[in-house]
Amino acid sequence: MNNPFLTFLMPMSTLMLGFLSALLLPAPWFGIELTRRLTTLFHLSDINQLYTLIFCLWFLLLGAAEYYVIRFIWLRFIKV
């Protein structure tokens, strides 16, 4: 049975790595026409709402990917 702390550690680590990614990695940028098309597709009031959603999803996905990569490296190569 896993340690109960590990179930708490995964979401916390994902958010922390996502916040670190916000400082280090650039977020995606779309062209003006694609941005306007996405804004009308998702019925958003302006471009700021679209980029807020994109930034949140982008950094959460990066945080999750970094967490799994670091966890894989830790379990595979570092932990004895």
Side-chain angles (χ1 to χ4, degrees):
M1 184 170 170
N2 286 340
N3 188 350
F5 182 68
L6 291 177
T7 59
F8 174 72
L9 189 64
M10 183 187 157
M12 183 177 63
S13 300
T14 302
L15 286 175
M16 183 189 71
L17 289 171
F19 291 140
L20 290 175
S21 297
L23 298 173
L24 299 174
L25 299 172
W29 183 80
F30 306 120
I32 295 296
E33 292 190 24
L34 181 61
T35 303
R36 287 183 182 157
R37 195 175 313 143
L38 289 173
T39 304
T40 57
L41 177 71
F42 293 120
H43 304 289
L44 301 173
S45 63
D46 61 352
I47 296 173
N48 291 330
Q49 285 182 341
L50 176 69
Y51 275 108
T52 300
L53 293 172
I54 289 171
F55 288 162
C56 289
L57 292 174
W58 176 252
F59 295 129
L60 284 176
L61 288 174
L62 283 177
E66 289 173 3
Y67 171 77
Y68 283 112
V69 167
I70 291 171
R71 183 173 178 257
F72 173 76
I73 291 171
W74 171 260
L75 292 175
R76 179 76 179 192
F77 300 111
I78 298 172
K79 188 177 177 183
V80 177

